[in-house]
Each structure stands twice: as C-alpha cells, then as structure tokens.
Amino acid sequence: MQNGRKTSDRNWCKMAISDPLLRELQSILKKLKEETQPITDHCALLKPLCETLERILRKGLKQPGSLFGINKRDYWSWMESTPNYVCNDKYNPFLNRAIDLTQSSPKLRTLQGRGRCFIRLALAKKIVSVPVEHLLRNARLTEYWYDSGLSIIANPPLAEALMSLLFALTDINFELDVKNASFLDESWVIPVYKRLELVPCSSLGMTIRYLDNRIFVVKVEENGVAGEDQKIEPGDIVDELYQESLYGCKSGKVNSLLREHQGWPVYVSVIKCRLPDGTVYPPLVSRIKKLKEELKEFEVKKLNKKGPAPMPAHALLPQDYPEQAPVHDPEGKAEFTAKYVGQVSTGRYGDVAEIESAVEKAIQQNKQQEITENKVVHVELTETEVIITDLKTNKELSKHSYTEISSCGRRSDMTQYFAFIAGDTQCSVSRNFTAFVFEAESADESKIILCSIAQGFGRTSWFV
C-alpha cells in the first residue's frame, strides 16, 4: 500500500476514472489544489467535497435485514469500530482521538451526524484516508460491510483509485471549526459560529425560547450585555455557555450556569441565523417561521443593505470601522485630556448596563456638592492599563489594568461623557465595582477614547 501511494500521488490528476462519483471527487480535488488559502467552513468547495465523500462511503453499504429498517447502518457504523481491528504497529493515534471526539459529542444524535462530524475531523487532521485504508487491509471485513458489485470500496480497481484521491486530499490544509457541529444531523451546510466573551453580569439581557431541543434568542434588550455590540440577535441559537453544550438541555440550565459562574466574564457560543451571504440558515427557516407564529413580538432583523448595522460607541473597534484612525502611537500608548467628573459605586455589578445610571449619578453628585469646575486630567491608555493623572498637581488619581476593567461606554443623550467600570481586583473575581466618569472635549473624542479602551480589551487576556 505504501509503495503504491507514491505512484498514485503523482498520477491522481491524470487517472482515467470510470466511476462518476470518483470523477466528481477528482474534479473537486483539482479545484481545491488551486486554492492558495486554507479551506474554511465557508469555502464553496467544502460542501460538495463532503457530500461526494459521503456518497462514496454509502455506495454499496450492506444493510442488515430487519423489520421496519430499525437496525439501519451508515458508514459511521464501521468507522467507529475500526480501532478494534487495527494491529498495534499500524495504530494511528489521531484516528482514535477523532473517533473518541465524535462518539462523545453531545451535539450529535444520529449515525449521519456522527459520520459527518468524523469526516470534518478527518479532513482537518489529515487522516481522511486512514479508516478506509485499514478497512481495505481486512478483506473479510470489507466484504462484511460492502457489496463488491455495487460499491467503490469493495471493488479493488475503484478502491485503488479512491485511495489515490484520499491520499492527495491529505495534502490540502483544512481549517474547520469542528465544534460547529450542532446541525450535522440535518445538513452539510455549516452555519456561522461565533464565540463571544462578554463582561461579567447577572443577566445577559435577552429572552430565550426552547424549540426542538435548542435555545433560540427571541428578543435582545438594546442596552443589555448581549445586545451591546449586536453580535447576538433575535433568531440566533445559544449553542454553548461556558463551553457546555446547550443542545437538549433542561429549561433552567442557562440561569444555573450564570449563577455558578457569577462574577466571571460570560463565555457564550452562538449559531447565527444568517449565513455570510445574508440568507437565513436553511435548517432554521421552518423553525423561525414557527417562532413568528407563536410569538408576535419575535422578528429576525432585516439586512441593512447600505452596510453593517451601526454599533454603539463603546463597542467601536478599528477593524469594524476601517476609516477610524489608529488611536495608539507606535509605543502602544494613547493620551488624551478630559475632565474628571467623579466616581460612583456600582456594587457587585460591573456590566455595561450600569454605565448610563453611573454617568447621571456622578453629574448629580457634583451638583449636590456645588462643584462647578471638574478636575482636568491626563488619560493615558497603555498596552496593559488605564492611568488617570491630575494635570494641575501631577498626582496619579487611579490606575487600572484591563483585566480589572469590566466595561466602558457612554450615554446616548450626553455623548461627550464617558465612563469605565473597574473592580477592586481582576473583574472575573471582583465583588466590588466602581464607575469612573469623565467629560471629553467633544463627542467625537469621547468615541475615540472608548475605541482605544476597546483596543486594550482586545490585547488583554482574562485570567480566571
């Protein structure tokens, strides 16, 4: 087999292949070889490739006789048992790992889904040829699973051509999100999958609905944590929370996990209801229709044909707005002058929802204390921290690392004011938060300062 591999690797693109499925695989492979970038989930060639591989693996697969087809087989049926028939000297640890990951995935319910998950893992790990190669080494096992008159795998000349193509396929780099597996039971179309890290909060600010064992977002509060950057929208599915799958979970699981991790940043993964081209993800079409019938207030947001939906000021990032000038100098610092309005305790809450009331409270405190002129301060945003210094006395008023800062933002009706909330220690474990409120020279400068703080979040990892 190994000697034949080198020869077939050179000649796979020139082979005269009689079987239409193998010809289709050969054609896709030629196009993949022309790609200059790794193949991702949304490459147009990935779906036809996976569908063709699946059809090849199913062709001629023997089905046991049983009443009503209860014991129906699929290609995963033999793939998951492959390690049982492999000698130790031929053992491939990546194969066993891929099988274990597929078997243990809580997001899959069917043989079809598990088989598809394995194909994606095998492409990513460059082992797509390995299970077929092991099967072909055992003639009795091959005969047990496949009909030699109908299949490709049990037909020696066709199987040799297939192995040549599979070996060539391992030369291609696939960068697939293998945890994006929740709809493989139903479809080869891969949805857009987003992993988000939200500020610590007691409530995500969204309404969810259970449908078909999945958690749909049906409403998002405009000023809530989930909606602050419009990355979670009505119609999306909450797939994981703190890396735990929510597929088929009980109704109280979400609140239970939030209570268990109170004070931590919220790690949530969502399946977006729209594909990159803007169309609704096909498996969700009927479900969204059902939600609309049951909930009058539910509505999937329409596409903004003029461009991406506007983001709130505190969520602005340079990559979101290319025209935004960089706010950090070559040394990684950004420096501004602003007026220090004051600080307000927000207790145990450090999420962005506290910003609006904190700004108002700080202004009211100054009025009550008859403070007519706020301190002019120097705001220095370094690679790792925010430093506030009194310009008149040169006294350092506060210094906070980005891991201590839980959120930042401004009011929509007083946009020259901005604030950030920091804990008395790293915000993931802090139980005492304070909002620091400032007045910028203009609304535009307020926006730029918030953008700069957001850059700091992007450079800093949370320690938990």
Side-chain angles (χ1 to χ4, degrees), residues 361-393:
K361 285 179 182 178
I363 294 173
Q364 290 301 321
Q365 283 179 6
N366 281 1
K367 288 181 179 180
Q368 291 170 4
Q369 297 171 14
E370 298 183 350
I371 298 175
T372 57
E373 189 66 29
N374 293 318
K375 291 181 181 178
V376 179
V377 296
H378 177 246
V379 181
E380 182 180 356
L381 308 173
T382 72
E383 285 281 350
T384 59
E385 56 193 1
V386 177
I387 304 171
I388 309 298
T389 307
D390 188 328
L391 271 182
K392 186 175 181 179
T393 64

Side-chain angles (χ1 to χ4, degrees), residues 62-74 111:
K62 292 180 179 178
Q63 295 293 340
S66 63
L67 188 63
F68 306 121
I70 294 175
N71 297 322
K72 189 174 181 180
R73 291 172 173 170
D74 207 347
L111 291 175

Side-chain angles (χ1 to χ4, degrees), residues 296-352:
K296 292 182 180 180
E297 70 273 17
F298 173 71
E299 184 178 0
V300 176
K301 287 188 176 181
K302 296 181 180 179
L303 288 176
N304 186 346
K305 297 182 180 180
K306 296 181 180 180
M311 298 171 67
H314 59 269
L316 287 171
L317 291 172
Q319 61 264 35
D320 297 318
Y321 287 82
E323 70 274 11
Q324 175 75 51
V327 295
H328 286 80
D329 64 20
E331 296 180 356
K333 294 193 301 181
E335 299 177 277
F336 307 91
T337 299
K339 291 182 179 180
Y340 178 58
V341 180
Q343 63 186 60
V344 175
S345 172
T346 59
R348 297 169 56 231
Y349 303 104
D351 53 84
V352 73

Side-chain angles (χ1 to χ4, degrees), residues 97-393:
R97 177 62 175 158
I99 290 173
D100 287 344
L101 287 172
T102 303
Q103 289 174 328
S104 62
S105 175
K107 301 179 181 182
L108 306 166
R109 298 287 190 273
T110 65
L111 291 175
Q112 173 170 279
R114 297 195 185 280
R116 289 174 172 181
C117 179
F118 179 83
I119 287 176
R120 285 169 53 79
L121 278 165
L123 289 171
K125 299 298 182 183
K126 298 181 180 293
I127 57 168
V128 70
S129 64
V130 175
V132 179
E133 187 177 11
H134 285 315
L135 182 67
L136 292 176
R137 284 178 176 157
N138 190 323
R140 291 182 61 185
L141 204 58
T142 304
E143 184 181 353
Y144 176 78
W145 287 103
Y146 286 96
D147 188 319
S148 60
L150 299 175
S151 71
I152 291 173
I153 290 179
N155 182 311
L158 294 180
E160 183 178 355
L162 171 62
M163 288 306 302
S164 297
L165 296 173
L166 294 181
F167 283 138
L169 200 54
T170 60
D171 292 332
I172 296 171
N173 291 322
F174 290 86
E175 293 184 358
L176 309 179
D177 186 350
V178 293
K179 292 198 74 174
N180 187 357
S182 290
F183 279 93
L184 290 175
D185 285 333
E186 302 177 38
S187 176
W188 267 122
V189 180
I190 305 300
V192 175
Y193 199 80
K194 297 290 185 182
R195 291 179 178 82
L196 306 173
E197 180 180 322
L198 306 177
V199 296
C201 60
S202 57
S203 171
L204 291 175
M206 64 185 187
T207 305
I208 58 176
R209 178 70 175 265
Y210 289 76
L211 178 66
D212 293 344
N213 289 318
R214 304 183 192 277
I215 297 179
F216 280 81
V217 178
V218 295
K219 186 178 180 181
V220 179
E221 294 177 11
E222 187 175 347
N223 296 319
V225 173
E228 68 182 61
D229 55 6
Q230 297 186 6
K231 287 181 180 176
I232 299 181
E233 300 174 291
D236 294 346
I237 291 175
V238 184
D239 189 58
E240 289 185 359
L241 187 59
Y242 295 106
Q243 298 187 339
E244 284 197 34
S245 173
L246 299 179
Y247 181 27
C249 72
K250 295 182 179 179
S251 59
K253 184 67 173 178
V254 172
N255 288 333
S256 174
L257 285 171
L258 287 174
R259 285 195 300 269
E260 183 181 336
H261 296 85
Q262 189 172 8
W264 290 32
V266 180
Y267 299 98
V268 59
S269 299
V270 297
I271 296 170
K272 301 297 292 180
C273 68
R274 293 189 185 275
L275 294 173
D277 63 3
T279 60
V280 175
Y281 179 53
L284 300 188
V285 172
S286 60
R287 293 174 169 96
I288 286 175
K289 182 179 179 181
K290 187 174 181 180
L291 287 172
K292 286 181 177 179
E293 292 172 352
E294 294 179 359
L295 303 170
K296 292 182 180 180
E297 70 273 17
F298 173 71
E299 184 178 0
V300 176
K301 287 188 176 181
K302 296 181 180 179
L303 288 176
N304 186 346
K305 297 182 180 180
K306 296 181 180 180
M311 298 171 67
H314 59 269
L316 287 171
L317 291 172
Q319 61 264 35
D320 297 318
Y321 287 82
E323 70 274 11
Q324 175 75 51
V327 295
H328 286 80
D329 64 20
E331 296 180 356
K333 294 193 301 181
E335 299 177 277
F336 307 91
T337 299
K339 291 182 179 180
Y340 178 58
V341 180
Q343 63 186 60
V344 175
S345 172
T346 59
R348 297 169 56 231
Y349 303 104
D351 53 84
V352 73
E354 301 295 321
I355 295 286
E356 187 170 350
S357 60
V359 171
E360 185 175 7
K361 285 179 182 178
I363 294 173
Q364 290 301 321
Q365 283 179 6
N366 281 1
K367 288 181 179 180
Q368 291 170 4
Q369 297 171 14
E370 298 183 350
I371 298 175
T372 57
E373 189 66 29
N374 293 318
K375 291 181 181 178
V376 179
V377 296
H378 177 246
V379 181
E380 182 180 356
L381 308 173
T382 72
E383 285 281 350
T384 59
E385 56 193 1
V386 177
I387 304 171
I388 309 298
T389 307
D390 188 328
L391 271 182
K392 186 175 181 179
T393 64

Side-chain angles (χ1 to χ4, degrees), residues 199-202 242 257-265 344-351 354 403-406 421-435 462-464:
V199 296
C201 60
S202 57
Y242 295 106
L257 285 171
L258 287 174
R259 285 195 300 269
E260 183 181 336
H261 296 85
Q262 189 172 8
W264 290 32
V344 175
S345 172
T346 59
R348 297 169 56 231
Y349 303 104
D351 53 84
E354 301 295 321
T403 56
E404 295 172 333
I405 298 175
S406 60
I421 299 178
D424 54 4
T425 182
Q426 291 177 7
C427 66
S428 58
V429 295
S430 177
R431 293 294 183 271
N432 185 23
F433 290 91
T434 302
W462 293 99
F463 296 93
V464 295

